[in-house]
Amino acid sequence: VQLQASGGGLVQAGGSLRLSCAASGGTFSSYSMTWFRQAPGKEREPVAAVSGIGSRYYADSVKGRFTISRDNAKNTLYLQMNNLKPEDTAIYYCAARLGLVSGLSRGPYDYWGQETLVTVSS
């Protein structure tokens, strides 16, 4: 499975962005998908996950502001980010894990996508 993330950019605090992660080469619906981010000087952390059956999980830091979704017909994962804050500035990654998940997990994951940079200015 190959994953390609896109949609990052520069936005002012309070603004919105939508990240996409296009998957190819596998049965997308069989995978649970997670968005990770890594801010400068910090460890990579999971921020949102969705299982193949649509169960969703969020980090406390993004709950109520970010929405994870997937379109299995289009083999695409999304992360709608609203009310962005400067502390959301990070490199964002998508990752795939075969089977179901029951919450956020740092790993292991079967596939990782390329990063997309999100910068939120104050």
Side-chain angles (χ1 to χ4, degrees), residues 47-121:
V47 295
V50 59
S51 72
I53 59 173
S55 300
R56 306 178 189 187
Y57 308 92
Y58 297 96
D60 288 342
S61 58
V62 306
K63 206 170 289 183
R65 300 188 297 121
F66 290 11
T67 301
I68 189 170
S69 62
R70 63 190 299 159
D71 185 336
N72 289 338
K74 294 183 178 180
N75 292 345
T76 304
L77 173 74
Y78 302 100
L79 185 68
Q80 178 67 43
M81 306 185 293
N82 298 329
N83 191 22
L84 282 160
K85 303 176 180 181
E87 52 264 42
D88 295 318
T89 294
I91 293 171
Y92 285 72
Y93 303 81
C94 54
R97 181 175 179 177
L98 188 63
L100 298 178
V101 293
S102 57
L104 294 181
S105 172
R106 293 181 180 270
Y109 285 82
D110 298 294
Y111 302 100
W112 292 86
Q114 292 182 323
E115 67 272 15
T116 187
L117 176 62
V118 172
T119 304
V120 184
S121 63

